[in-house]
Amino acid sequence: MRRGHGTVFWTGFAVIVALLIAAPLVLTEFWRRFVTEILIWGLLAMSSDILIGYTGMVSFGHSAFFGLGMYGAAAALLTIDPPNLWLALFYGLVAAAAVAACVAYFSTRLRDIYFAITTLIFSQIFYVIIFTWTAVTGGENGLAFERPPLAIPGLFDFVLTPTRLHWFVLAVVAGSYLILRRITQSPFGMVLQSIRENEARTRAIGYAVERYKIVAVMLSGLFAGLAGVLYALQNQFAAPDFVFFLVSGETVIYNVIGGIGTLVGPIVGAAFFLLLREGLSRFLTQYYLIPLGAVFIAIVILMPQGLLGFMRRWLNE
Amino acid sequence: MGVPLDQLLIQTINGIVTGMILALVSSGLTLIFGIMDVVNFAHGELLMLGAYVGVLTLAATGNFWLALLSAGLLIGLLGAAIYLVTLRPLIDRGPLTTILATFGISLVLQNVALWQFGPVSRKVAEPIGGHFTLFYLDYPWYRIVVALLSAAIIGGFWLFLKFGTWGIWIRATTQDRVMAQAMGIPVPWVLTGVFAIGSAMAAASGVLFGPLSGVDPTMGLGWILRAFIVVVVGGMGSLGGSIAAAILVSLLEAYASLWVSPSQAIIVSFVVLIVTLLFRPTGLFVAAPK
Amino acid sequence: MTVNPSLAAASSAEVAEDGKAAALLRTEDLTIRFGGLTALDHVNFAVPRSEVCAIIGPNGAGKSTFFNCLTGVLHPTSGAIFFAGADITGLPPNKISQKGIARSYQITNILPNATALENVRIAAQSRRHSWSLFSHHRAYRDIIEKAEAALDSVGLLGKAGEPAANLSHGEQRTLEIAIALATEPQLLCLDEPTAGMSAAETHDTVQLIRRVAANLTILIVEHDMHVVMELAGRITVLHYGAVLAEGTPSEIQQNPRVIEVYLKT
Amino acid sequence: MSSGAGAAFIGTGTAVARVGEDARAADLLAVDRLHTYYGKSHILHGVSLSVGRGEVVGLLGRNGVGKSTTLKAIAGIVHPSAGEVRFEGRPITGLPPHRVARLGIGYVPEDRRIFPLLTVLENLRVGLDRRGVAKAKKALLLDKIYAYFPVLAERRHQAGGTLSGGEQQMLAIARAMMLEPKIILLDEPTEGLMPRMVSQIREIIEALRGEGVAVLLVEQNVPLTLEASRRIYFIEKGEVRHHALGSQLHVGDAVIHQYLGV
């Protein structure tokens, strides 16, 4: 039974990855880019699912981790010559981890809504810093840079074309998914879920709950930062808009629409949201958030399991 | 570096004026949270819509008091409607669900405003003209009026809570919802009413603040952010704490803007918040837990 | 230091030279106040190693408060708690658990939608491997074996794969004991272990506690006099937060003050 | 009232239901085969009982057998999944608690649930400030309560949370009286009280009866329940298992041992 479940999982995973590998070869440039972005936003959403879905902490501050990942990558690409992809990754992750450590230290002192509010405020702190520290961050205009080559000295050296970037993003996102999935099934992941269900009880059986929460926030921030680095590579700029809280809000929306506590759900949610936005914005230009917000509210009220949970129930019937 | 006393005094007055508006905004937020565990993310958008209703009424009638009244009534009704449609079904689903729902509402309201009123900030003439001389400045009377009106609304609300039958019902419901209902209080209506009152307070602060900074669809976010800081610093659900924290935060920001730009001055509030979280995570102005 | 004289007398045969060392758990003038109310009033209490002790008392006597103080949920206003010779006053619940005090709850499984085994496994894992991030939780056979042993010892192994929420009330209470056992405690604190149980379930639970007591020290807070009389070697009666009487079941049964308070006549 | 109550022990299960049916017309409150769930656990398995006008009825049973849940279901706080509650012949099952309260059912919960930050007077006003009660009548009601509980008059401006346990219990009962109820559901009024307060609770119940207010009493204190109640129901595992006249039971009776395990 369990083995059968595993086979189904890996078959499904392989099929989807294969489809995504083939995607840039058949899609137009516009849709190729669209799919790459869904993967990146999906990774961001997945990273926050570790907190929202598995630990029961709603973060309204993931834009800070995402944005700092972008700015970290930008710093590496602008200051180091020749630009190096791996250093960009490294800088981005370090920046995101530093921010995550700071946010984790303060916000995990509070629970539930207080946590949500505090993460929101912290992301705004970083937004204000980046927005006003023009000399370093370029302020409102942000920073623009060139895409580095995908190279390992002595082994290979590729120019990062859009298609190759898509594959690179796909590899990172798929790998991150597998790692995150394993983390949620690990003993550590079980502790997180136990905190979500009953924090006092988890403490009573001997767990130092605060420490687990801090590590959870840091892990989540690290993967959000990774998404930020990928986004920087894709768009070749870093801008304060991405540190702004609206990005955090959309991350939460992806999770809720897709279904929290599933890892895949948030990616589905991101795809659904972005497709709907694409469709709606043709008629409604910039006001697409009116119907999307309404859909989101309806899902919160009527479909708390999200699309994935809803589909699962529907398939079972 | 020395700061001249006159500047300090001007900033004190400025701080108290914005502090009173912020107190009005935060009271509504904290009232709603205290009674139904709902953190109303859309509170800032209700403020913004209130400001627009005020602008439109003022343009049509020229009567500031009518603007204040109509904004309070209309947005109060809107708040009641929002509560009945979106929050009532969520009543037992916990505060995290309601923060998600109200976040969705804030997105919708903000974009409706953007669609209806456009992104450009509308300047509003101060409805009560006249200046008085404060050192070298012509200080507008309107600002003083704003502070006094905010204080009056908060004070009136406090009296209502303290002595009115509905006030007792609201406080009883806040303390023990189930028992309140078992004592015959129509709790579903009290909750709807409180949401309407909180919304009306947000709307009133929007109308008052509009002439000071202009009115635009995104003005709600800045306010909700500061109101969040205030309620965490003041202690969530504590009305007195919110008011004290609102004035503290606004004063500090006003003093800070002597040295840095206003957009950076908000960092002072962030610092206050961080210090609060470090030493008194339950809030500065509530009794420390046992 | 004050040692309750009756306790010192009772355990004198076992450890004549040092009455204090014999106690696994000991409180010293434990006092807790909420506002004006004194919930615990200078409680001196001791649980000797390998004994089953019970705390009884009418509702509101301070039993739960005492329990919450022991397990770190509440911090005493004054006084101290010693466990296995170490001062544990004011430690957080997780530290107290790690020291070897486990408690059962009236009802709440940790993960209501997970299986009975998973509920016990998460408790077993709290001593080892809990920081492992990259291995599947089922990869740790030692933990699973420990969890299965705990389930077996309460007779729930047959329901290991059953979601905890689907278990009957009695089974859920038993699962609570298994969860507590899986943390490998030295002292097991049971909070009204038979509340809401039928006569048959109560009987089974009493038998279970007796079996468990073979290798453990147990402290029971209980309403049901029968259960207490059957299980406990020593009984402490709390009344208005203070110790009203202490002694063996037969002593307690004949204590006129206890009869007066307990039967409220 | 029910004529069948002459016998000492009226029997179990079905017989109880029949007694309830016979008495329906005369009953103030009738509970008919009530079932409730808490999450997945089935708490009440078809509780049936009745209370006549001005009658004091006791409900005995061990901890956790569903006594409090029965009171909560009557008050509308817990929604029964099956069964019916009738008040003055009219079904009230599923009504929200505030409507139930307005019909004249006062609820005094186990832990009293005084509004801790409201003053004593405000606690009383919660029930008193109803539509359709003239000012003069309000004053009269208050005076009556203050006359009966002078300590509440003394502390009328003190916060409810600062009262002692006994005073809180008085306030909880006084608060329910403000609704001018026809019946009061009294859940463990002596819990945690000093022994001398217990006799006072007994007097209060007697006074309520004197006023024509019926009482449905849930208590751990067996002697008090036996003395105060005209009839007594025994509940076990969410069901009424036995029914007897209070005057014919004694603290030492086997039936009490059987259902209470004391």
Side-chain angles (χ1 to χ4, degrees):
Chain A
M1 175 65 204
R2 189 168 286 157
R3 186 168 298 273
H5 190 77
T7 319
V8 170
F9 170 79
W10 287 111
T11 316
F13 182 75
V15 168
I16 289 170
V17 168
L19 284 176
L20 287 169
I21 290 174
L25 305 176
V26 290
L27 294 177
T28 61
E29 171 57 19
F30 175 82
W31 287 106
R32 192 281 308 157
R33 187 188 165 88
F34 195 75
V35 174
T36 313
E37 292 215 352
I38 285 179
L39 285 172
I40 298 173
W41 292 118
L43 174 59
L44 175 64
M46 213 162 42
S47 76
S48 80
D49 196 19
I50 290 289
L51 294 183
I52 301 184
Y54 288 90
T55 327
M57 300 154 72
V58 174
S59 159
F60 270 103
H62 262 55
S63 59
F65 313 138
F66 184 78
L68 265 289
M70 286 182 90
Y71 275 93
L77 295 174
L78 288 171
T79 56
I80 297 164
D81 196 44
N84 183 313
L85 176 68
W86 309 112
L87 279 175
L89 256 178
F90 178 72
Y91 273 47
L93 289 181
V94 168
V99 172
C102 167
V103 173
Y105 179 74
F106 288 102
S107 61
T108 52
R109 290 164 174 256
L110 300 172
R111 287 172 54 184
D112 302 334
I113 29 178
Y114 299 90
F115 175 83
I117 291 175
T118 317
T119 50
L120 165 61
I121 294 170
F122 268 87
S123 76
Q124 285 306 98
I125 295 180
F126 289 100
Y127 173 71
V128 170
I129 292 173
I130 287 174
F131 196 86
T132 55
W133 200 6
T134 315
V136 175
T137 61
E140 203 174 345
N141 299 324
L143 301 167
F145 40 82
E146 292 291 306
R147 213 176 266 161
L150 177 64
I152 288 180
L155 273 178
F156 57 86
D157 190 346
F158 296 125
V159 175
L160 210 46
T161 62
T163 304
R164 285 182 186 145
L165 179 68
H166 174 85
W167 287 330
F168 178 71
V169 168
L170 176 60
V172 172
V173 173
S176 302
Y177 167 68
L178 291 177
I179 294 172
L180 286 170
R181 179 169 177 268
R182 176 39 69 84
I183 290 175
T184 60
Q185 295 168 336
S186 72
F188 173 79
M190 301 315 287
V191 179
L192 297 189
Q193 289 168 62
S194 154
I195 292 172
R196 176 192 67 198
E197 292 299 326
N198 194 336
E199 186 170 326
R201 193 64 213 282
T202 308
R203 204 172 271 126
I205 55 171
Y207 292 106
V209 166
E210 278 70 25
R211 270 188 251 164
Y212 288 86
K213 283 184 170 180
I214 287 179
V215 173
V217 173
M218 292 208 49
L219 263 173
S220 179
L222 210 59
F223 282 93
L226 187 58
V229 174
L230 294 181
Y231 200 80
L233 292 173
Q234 155 88 352
N235 289 297
Q236 304 181 57
F237 66 82
D241 289 2
F242 294 97
V243 192
F244 194 62
F245 122 91
L246 208 57
V247 170
S248 310
E250 288 185 354
T251 310
V252 172
I253 295 182
Y254 301 155
N255 271 279
V256 173
I257 290 183
I260 59 170
T262 57
L263 290 184
V264 190
I267 304 184
V268 174
F272 179 82
F273 182 94
L274 294 170
L275 274 171
L276 210 59
R277 176 166 81 183
E278 193 53 45
L280 290 171
S281 62
R282 305 208 170 163
F283 313 105
L284 293 165
T285 58
Q286 50 184 318
Y287 310 120
Y288 63 89
L289 273 172
I290 301 172
L292 262 174
V295 168
F296 171 71
I297 298 169
I299 287 181
V300 168
I301 298 174
L302 304 172
M303 227 196 273
Q305 306 293 318
L307 285 178
L308 209 67
F310 184 74
M311 283 192 296
R312 194 177 284 164
R313 222 175 11 186
W314 183 68
L315 284 174
N316 285 347
E317 271 166 16
Chain B
M1 73 192 143
V3 175
L5 193 69
D6 49 355
Q7 284 197 20
L8 213 58
L9 197 65
I10 290 170
Q11 286 306 338
T12 306
I13 297 175
N14 280 338
I16 289 174
V17 171
T18 43
M20 287 316 297
I21 301 180
L22 186 57
L24 191 55
V25 180
S26 313
S27 321
L29 194 67
T30 205
L31 170 75
I32 290 173
F33 174 77
I35 195 167
M36 50 189 130
D37 258 12
V38 168
V39 176
N40 184 14
F41 218 111
H43 204 68
E45 272 60 44
L46 293 170
L47 177 149
M48 174 270 294
L49 288 177
Y52 271 110
V53 173
V55 167
L56 296 175
T57 317
L58 210 54
T61 67
N63 187 327
F64 175 67
W65 304 104
L66 196 63
L68 200 59
L69 195 70
S70 60
L73 276 177
L74 271 175
I75 302 304
L77 281 176
L78 176 68
I82 287 176
Y83 174 76
L84 289 175
V85 174
T86 61
L87 292 173
R88 193 141 167 205
L90 296 176
I91 199 135
D92 290 319
R93 295 248 299 269
L96 285 179
T97 313
T98 54
I99 204 174
L100 294 177
T102 52
F103 169 62
I105 294 164
S106 86
L107 282 184
V108 171
L109 293 182
Q110 192 181 330
N111 283 279
V112 166
L114 198 65
W115 173 41
Q116 284 302 312
F117 306 120
V120 183
S121 173
R122 300 204 186 184
K123 297 278 169 270
V124 192
E126 282 168 9
I128 292 160
H131 297 73
F132 64 96
T133 311
L134 187 65
F135 305 108
Y136 48 88
L137 269 182
D138 269 348
Y139 203 86
W141 275 114
Y142 178 68
R143 287 180 169 248
I144 306 295
V145 170
V146 164
L148 291 177
L149 269 181
S150 302
I153 295 174
I154 293 174
F157 176 64
W158 185 82
L159 289 175
F160 162 79
L161 270 188
K162 182 79 189 152
F163 298 110
T165 295
W166 261 75
I168 290 179
W169 284 5
I170 289 172
R171 283 188 288 146
T173 307
T174 307
Q175 290 166 38
D176 190 333
R177 196 190 296 173
V178 173
M179 199 53 222
Q181 202 170 1
M183 281 303 299
I185 297 178
V187 167
W189 291 112
V190 170
L191 297 182
T192 315
V194 164
F195 210 87
I197 293 170
S199 307
M201 286 168 87
S205 29
V207 176
L208 291 177
F209 186 71
L212 298 184
S213 74
V215 176
D216 70 83
T218 57
M219 71 190 285
L221 184 68
W223 280 101
I224 193 72
L225 202 69
R226 282 152 49 99
F228 277 164
I229 294 176
V230 161
V231 290
V232 173
V233 170
M236 201 87 177
S238 148
L239 211 55
S242 291
I243 294 166
I247 292 179
L248 171 79
V249 161
S250 302
L251 273 177
L252 289 177
E253 272 188 37
Y255 293 139
S257 59
L258 284 172
W259 292 282
V260 297
S261 75
S263 64
Q264 286 168 322
I266 193 169
I267 291 182
V268 177
S269 324
F270 295 150
V271 172
V272 173
L273 176 84
I274 291 173
V275 171
T276 307
L277 288 183
L278 266 182
F279 298 106
R280 283 287 284 269
T282 48
L284 286 185
F285 299 101
V286 292
K290 286 171 224 121
Chain C
M1 253 182 250
T2 52
V3 176
N4 196 306
S6 68
L7 170 87
S11 49
S12 59
E14 193 187 332
V15 205
E17 65 280 5
D18 189 359
K20 280 174 280 179
L24 178 62
L25 178 85
R26 186 162 55 85
T27 70
E28 216 167 74
D29 285 327
L30 198 64
T31 302
I32 187 162
R33 289 192 192 88
F34 303 116
L37 180 81
T38 304
L40 287 179
D41 192 2
H42 296 277
V43 174
N44 289 297
F45 172 81
V47 183
R49 221 175 260 280
S50 318
E51 279 233 37
V52 178
C53 291
I55 297 180
I56 61 171
N59 275 338
K63 291 173 305 201
S64 322
T65 309
F66 183 74
F67 225 65
N68 285 331
C69 259
L70 287 190
T71 48
V73 177
L74 291 174
H75 295 303
T77 314
S78 65
I81 308 168
F82 296 91
F83 179 70
D87 187 350
I88 60 163
T89 324
L91 289 184
N94 52 304
K95 291 251 171 68
I96 289 189
S97 165
Q98 296 281 358
K99 295 254 176 207
I101 301 181
R103 76 175 286 186
S104 78
Y105 282 73
Q106 290 240 359
I107 270 208
T108 42
N109 308 294
I110 309 168
L111 300 162
N113 297 315
T115 63
L117 178 66
E118 185 47 41
N119 272 284
V120 183
R121 205 201 59 78
I122 184 91
Q125 167 207 297
S126 69
R127 297 304 183 269
R128 249 177 306 164
H129 308 307
S130 61
W131 281 101
S132 162
L133 264 72
F134 301 109
S135 304
H136 199 286
H137 66 270
R138 280 193 292 266
Y140 294 101
R141 279 309 310 172
D142 54 335
I143 300 291
I144 294 181
E145 275 157 20
K146 204 161 94 179
E148 283 172 345
L151 271 185
D152 196 20
S153 70
V154 302
L156 271 183
L157 194 54
K159 302 264 180 173
E162 194 73 24
N166 292 358
L167 299 181
S168 74
H169 174 85
E171 285 167 342
Q172 292 197 10
R173 303 295 317 263
T174 316
L175 180 62
E176 280 294 317
I177 296 179
I179 290 169
L181 288 178
T183 63
E184 296 180 338
Q186 296 182 59
L187 174 68
L188 177 61
C189 301
L190 299 171
D191 190 2
E192 301 203 12
T194 64
M197 283 189 177
S198 66
E201 284 174 326
T202 302
H203 177 78
D204 291 347
T205 306
V206 168
Q207 297 306 316
L208 167 65
I209 294 172
R210 217 174 250 153
R211 255 184 292 138
V212 169
N215 338 308
L216 263 181
T217 313
I218 291 185
L219 173 63
I220 303 179
V221 167
E222 181 56 78
H223 219 82
D224 190 328
M225 279 287 225
H226 287 310
V227 171
V228 171
M229 295 302 165
E230 271 188 69
L231 281 171
R234 297 197 58 75
I235 296 176
T236 303
V237 185
L238 279 188
H239 189 51
Y240 290 110
V243 175
L244 182 81
E246 235 179 334
T248 63
S250 55
E251 284 165 16
I252 293 295
Q253 266 173 322
Q254 285 151 19
N255 187 320
R257 294 174 70 197
V258 175
I259 292 171
E260 188 199 339
V261 165
Y262 221 68
L263 290 176
K264 288 183 186 166
T265 36
Chain D
M1 237 326 284
S2 147
S3 55
F9 303 129
I10 298 165
T12 56
T14 50
V16 170
R18 203 172 318 121
V19 170
E21 274 163 40
D22 291 345
R24 184 177 299 167
D27 280 346
L28 177 68
L29 176 79
V31 173
D32 192 13
R33 283 161 288 183
L34 216 54
H35 288 255
T36 64
Y37 286 83
Y38 181 73
K40 276 184 182 164
S41 53
H42 199 163
I43 307 285
L44 298 187
H45 299 255
V47 166
S48 299
L49 56 85
S50 65
V51 182
R53 288 185 190 276
E55 192 187 22
V56 179
V57 172
L59 213 51
L60 285 173
R62 287 180 204 233
N63 261 358
V65 294
K67 295 173 306 214
S68 295
T69 310
T70 305
L71 297 193
K72 284 181 185 162
I74 296 170
I77 296 168
V78 168
H79 291 287
S81 57
E84 197 178 43
V85 181
R86 280 186 304 277
F87 187 64
E88 300 189 300
R90 177 185 155 198
I92 59 165
T93 332
L95 278 189
H98 62 278
R99 304 260 317 269
V100 174
R102 294 282 162 92
L103 289 176
I105 298 183
Y107 174 55
V108 180
E110 191 175 359
D111 33 11
R112 292 154 203 141
R113 297 176 84 160
I114 294 300
F115 302 111
L117 304 176
L118 297 190
T119 64
V120 168
L121 177 58
E122 286 168 343
N123 264 286
L124 295 174
R125 274 184 64 189
V126 164
L128 191 60
D129 287 0
R130 284 168 285 146
R131 216 177 303 157
V133 185
K135 219 169 189 169
K137 192 168 180 199
K138 286 183 188 174
L140 210 67
L141 263 171
L142 264 182
D143 284 346
K144 205 166 121 189
I145 281 295
Y146 282 156
Y148 194 82
F149 299 112
V151 67
L152 295 184
E154 242 168 70
R155 315 225 152 160
R156 71 183 82 184
H157 297 300
Q158 199 173 317
T162 63
L163 301 185
S164 75
E167 290 162 352
Q168 287 196 4
Q169 187 62 58
M170 288 181 210
L171 178 55
I173 295 173
R175 185 178 61 175
M177 284 302 289
M178 289 291 120
L179 293 166
E180 296 180 277
K182 301 187 176 97
I183 184 170
I184 285 191
L185 314 172
L186 203 49
D187 198 350
E188 306 227 359
T190 68
E191 178 183 322
L193 295 191
M194 310 270 272
R196 79 181 152 76
M197 283 296 308
V198 174
S199 56
Q200 193 167 355
I201 295 289
R202 162 122 180 58
E203 281 163 26
I204 293 171
I205 295 173
E206 194 50 44
L208 288 175
R209 204 183 58 81
E211 294 271 318
V213 180
V215 175
L216 181 54
L217 173 69
V218 165
E219 250 302 334
Q220 293 283 335
N221 186 327
V222 178
L224 171 75
T225 314
L226 297 189
E227 273 176 57
S229 316
R230 202 180 84 84
R231 286 183 300 129
I232 290 168
Y233 292 94
F234 290 88
I235 293 199
E236 190 178 70
K237 292 173 84 178
E239 250 181 290
V240 170
R241 288 297 177 85
H242 200 83
H243 180 189
L245 278 181
S247 56
Q248 284 165 339
L249 284 174
H250 303 282
V251 179
D253 278 344
V255 59
I256 290 184
H257 270 265
Q258 184 187 341
Y259 291 110
L260 300 182
V262 286

